[in-house]
């Protein structure tokens, strides 16, 4: 038998639900236009390319070349530099990067980052390391004494943005041969209006890295980033003056090994020394910092350097610790160690 009371209850409940649904829909419909008051009308051409909405800073037809950039991402007034490597460079100090050739073990990376260097020269040009591994290493000790730096593989939007989104504060770009390449580096390394770096997020925005810096990461990183371009070829020497002049380039690196590789001369040869001096002159004339290998720390006007890698650092540390006891083990007459030492 049908329960008439239950049926009447279900009908009433359904009707009430329908009424409530209609009310919610009507409320949403009434609110929708106010949520986007400047939105283009549905299905109609708003003519936005020719006519600006009331109150817009950029009036008249849209003109990219005359665009007045908005203040949303400006650094707060009085913002101070928070990257210690950048501060030291600005003060005229000598800045040293410790080379990290492998980042599989974050503990090794962190040992280098706390070893006394100003930044880590994380090697991604001549290393099989992945960006995932680099990110894990950098996040393991984000507040180590040495800020994370990296030499990427080449001038490229993806390489540069991977490096910066992962948290690099020092960006080293190899084999920059032309002024166009130098401009491309700046183009992808800096946020608008200085460059075209997109805001894709990443570990750099994490509060445990740079997301909580005074003034905010997005608003202050353009002032804190160190960009170093390497001149390594004869073409790079030809264009050194124009490369060094590019705004946004912090320093120019005279590549000791590859300038020999591409010139056919060794350090001390007049032709080699001429090549180094061409880079020197370009940096000095442009008012940029001059970088080279750590062996040149006393060479005139050089103020930033690439030091040895983690293997060399471990060996130096062991020798310093052991002193006269270093490498004093006897050589066996037989067995695998007889010929190995």
């Amino acid at each position: 038998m049908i329960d008439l009371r239950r049926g009447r209850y279900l009908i009433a409940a359904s009707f009430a639900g329908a009424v409530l649904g209609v009310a919610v829909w009507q409320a949403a419909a009434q609110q929708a236009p106010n949520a986007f008051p400047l939105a283009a009308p549905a299905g109609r051409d708003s003519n936005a390319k020719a006519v600006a909405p009331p109150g817009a800073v950029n009036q008249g037809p849209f003109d990219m070349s005359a665009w007045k950039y908005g203040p949303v991402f400006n650094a707060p007034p009085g913002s101070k530099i928070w990257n210690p490597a950048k501060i030291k460079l600005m003060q005229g100090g000598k800045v040293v990067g410790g080379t990290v050739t492998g980042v599989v073990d974050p503990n090794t990376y962190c040992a280098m980052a706390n070893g006394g260097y100003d930044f880590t020269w994380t090697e991604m040009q001549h290393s099989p390391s992945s960006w995932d591994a680099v990110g894990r290493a950098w996040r393991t000790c984000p507040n180590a004494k040495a800020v994370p730096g990296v030499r990427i593989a080449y001038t490229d939007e993806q390489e540069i943005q991977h490096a910066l989104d992962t948290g690099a504060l020092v960006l080293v770009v190899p084999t920059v041969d032309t002024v166009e390449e130098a401009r491309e580096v700046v183009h992808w390394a800096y946020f608008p209006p200085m460059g075209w770096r997109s805001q894709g997020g990443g570990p750099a925005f994490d509060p445990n890295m740079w997301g909580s810096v005074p003034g905010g990461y997005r608003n202050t990183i353009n002032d804190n980033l160190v960009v170093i371009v390497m001149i390594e070829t004869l073409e790079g020497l030809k264009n050194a003056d124009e490369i060094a002049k590019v705004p946004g380039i912090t320093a120019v690196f005279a590549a000791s090994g590859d300038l020999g590789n591409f010139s056919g001369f060794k350090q001390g040869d007049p032709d080699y020394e001429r090549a180094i001096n061409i880079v020197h002159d370009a940096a000095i004339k442009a008012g940029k910092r001059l970088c080279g290998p750590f062996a040149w720390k006393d060479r005139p006007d050089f103020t930033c350097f690439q030091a040895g890698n983690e293997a060399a650092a471990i060996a130096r540390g062991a020798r310093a610790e052991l002193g006269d006891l270093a490498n004093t083990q006897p050589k066996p007459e037989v067995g695998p160690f007889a010929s190995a030492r």
Side-chain angles (χ1 to χ4, degrees):
M1 177 179 291
I2 299 175
D3 188 337
L4 295 179
R5 287 177 298 176
R6 176 177 172 79
R8 286 194 297 269
Y9 172 79
L10 291 175
I11 292 171
S14 299
F15 178 76
V19 170
L20 179 61
V22 170
V24 170
W25 177 82
Q26 288 177 336
Q30 290 173 355
Q31 292 177 1
N34 296 327
F36 305 101
L38 299 179
R44 289 168 49 194
D45 185 345
S46 69
N47 201 27
K49 204 163 189 179
V51 179
V57 172
N58 294 277
Q59 289 292 324
F62 173 77
D63 184 354
M64 174 182 165
S65 63
W67 187 262
K68 298 179 181 68
Y69 192 76
V72 172
F73 295 108
N74 289 353
S79 293
K80 296 182 178 180
I81 303 300
W82 46 266
N83 177 358
K86 184 74 175 277
I87 294 172
K88 193 174 182 181
L89 275 176
M90 293 169 65
Q91 292 174 341
K94 294 187 176 182
V95 176
V96 183
T99 305
V100 181
T101 56
V103 289
V104 175
D105 180 11
N107 292 322
T108 301
Y109 171 84
C110 291
M112 286 290 287
N114 284 304
Y117 302 104
D118 298 293
F119 68 96
T120 57
W121 180 297
T122 309
E123 184 55 58
M124 291 294 280
Q125 182 189 21
H126 297 293
S127 168
S129 298
S130 70
W131 285 112
D132 282 345
V134 170
R136 283 193 298 273
W138 290 357
R139 290 195 301 272
T140 300
C141 49
N143 301 124
K145 293 178 181 178
V147 303
V150 60
R151 174 163 64 177
I152 59 174
Y154 48 88
T155 304
D156 174 78
E157 175 186 3
Q158 179 173 286
E159 280 286 291
I160 291 172
Q161 299 212 23
H162 275 175
L164 299 180
D165 287 350
T166 303
L169 297 181
V170 177
L171 178 71
V172 183
V173 184
T175 325
V176 175
D177 292 333
T178 66
V179 67
E180 290 78 16
E181 285 183 75
R183 289 176 182 148
E184 189 81 352
V185 171
V186 171
H187 186 77
W188 298 122
Y190 291 92
F191 282 121
M194 188 171 181
W196 279 25
R197 179 183 171 191
S198 64
Q199 190 167 249
F205 291 82
D206 191 300
N208 292 322
M209 288 198 76
W210 323 130
S212 59
V213 296
Y217 174 77
R218 166 61 181 86
N219 296 54
T220 62
I221 186 58
N222 278 4
D223 293 329
N224 283 275
L225 183 63
V226 174
V227 176
I228 302 170
V229 295
M230 301 186 71
I231 295 181
E232 310 189 55
T233 67
L234 299 182
E235 186 177 8
L237 291 176
K238 180 184 75 172
N239 298 310
D241 285 352
E242 296 306 312
I243 290 171
K245 289 177 185 176
V246 172
I249 300 298
T250 312
V252 181
F253 193 107
S256 57
D258 264 324
L259 279 172
N261 177 46
F262 284 99
S263 71
F265 293 94
K266 67 182 187 302
Q267 184 171 330
D269 291 341
D271 295 87
Y272 178 93
E273 297 301 326
R274 181 185 186 186
I276 302 303
N277 289 341
I278 288 173
V279 182
H280 166 277
D281 296 347
I284 296 305
K285 285 184 286 188
K288 304 298 175 66
R289 298 300 177 188
L290 182 60
C291 306
F294 187 64
W296 293 356
K297 64 183 177 67
D298 296 321
R299 189 167 181 137
D301 295 321
F302 280 77
T303 58
C304 75
F305 309 95
Q306 178 190 14
N309 62 27
E310 61 268 46
I314 291 170
R316 287 194 302 271
R319 286 195 298 270
E321 179 182 25
L322 293 171
D324 293 341
L325 295 178
N327 296 315
T328 57
Q329 60 270 56
K331 181 178 179 179
E333 295 182 5
V334 296
F337 296 104
S339 58
R341 307 185 183 196

